[in-house]
Amino acid sequence: MKYMFASDIHGSAYYCKKTLEVYRQSGSARLILLGDLLYHGPRNDLPKEYDPKQVLTMLNEYKDQIYAVRGNCDSEVDQMVLEFPMMADYALLSLNGKTFYATHGHVYHQEALPPMRPGDILVHGHTHLPAAKAMGEGYLLNPGSVSLPKGGNPASYGILDGTVFAIFDFEGGKLAEIEL
């Protein structure tokens, strides 16, 4: 099966719309959101077309297709308006025979690993930097940020297709790919 991963929308209606367009076109079974959905946070500039109300309306249309975890900019107030659960700090997902530890990345990340077994996959956002690499006996994946990319990277998202995870920009360019 195919799954789409996105992180750090930060209230950008422009990039939320682009993310949902790619999701629809990708044929993915689920959209996995890795936190920081509605607000930009005090350290970030306002993203393009900042409109958290429009973002929540768009995301709620896909409530039965979204798995989401809480980011450091997400709050209980956000959960009151979003119609899908997003307040858990992590989710354990079994996708295509692999175990994914999905989290935002502000608590668990490469330097502070959650309990993982060999072959497990840590996938998170938070840094706004795309990554797809082997890490010890497992893997580290980060789809980057759809709205506020850092490190000179373009806005990006990830697609898991079978056992291949690839990171793409919104123009269709492939930034990274790894066989899991």
Side-chain angles (χ1 to χ4, degrees):
M1 268 196 174
K2 192 183 283 191
Y3 299 91
M4 182 173 171
F5 291 78
S7 190
D8 299 283
I9 297 169
H10 285 291
S12 170
Y14 177 83
Y15 283 107
C16 184
K17 191 176 304 175
K18 287 180 82 86
T19 299
L20 293 172
E21 286 171 8
V22 169
Y23 171 68
R24 283 191 301 273
Q25 294 169 1
S26 74
S28 294
R30 294 281 183 165
L31 175 57
I32 301 164
L33 297 176
L34 301 172
D36 285 0
L37 305 180
L38 300 180
Y39 297 108
H40 68 290
R43 294 182 296 183
N44 297 312
D45 293 329
L46 287 175
K48 187 172 185 175
E49 293 181 26
Y50 182 69
D51 189 347
K53 285 184 178 179
Q54 188 176 358
V55 170
L56 76 89
T57 299
M58 286 188 279
L59 292 177
N60 281 341
E61 290 177 24
Y62 292 85
K63 64 185 175 189
D64 63 338
Q65 300 171 51
I66 292 175
Y67 294 149
V69 295
R70 182 184 70 83
N72 59 305
C73 293
D74 297 321
S75 72
E76 290 180 34
V77 171
D78 301 344
Q79 185 63 84
M80 293 171 67
V81 294
L82 290 168
E83 297 172 4
F84 53 88
M86 53 72 70
M87 285 303 291
D89 287 329
Y90 66 91
L92 293 174
L93 304 172
S94 179
L95 307 174
N96 301 341
K98 303 283 185 183
T99 299
F100 285 76
Y101 193 102
T103 190
H104 180 61
H106 63 293
V107 176
Y108 293 112
H109 46 80
Q110 186 171 351
E111 284 78 40
L113 296 174
M116 295 174 61
R117 298 181 72 180
D120 285 355
I121 300 150
L122 174 62
V123 59
H124 69 80
H126 184 60
T127 65
H128 300 223
L129 299 168
K133 62 184 181 179
M135 176 185 65
E137 295 181 36
Y139 299 92
L140 172 70
L141 307 175
N142 186 326
S145 172
V146 298
S147 70
L148 296 168
K150 294 184 179 174
N153 292 291
S156 60
Y157 60 90
I159 297 284
L160 174 67
D161 191 356
T163 59
V164 175
F165 184 85
I167 302 170
F168 298 94
D169 63 28
F170 284 102
E171 284 69 50
K174 189 181 293 182
L175 306 178
E177 180 178 276
I178 190 167
E179 175 82 29
L180 303 173

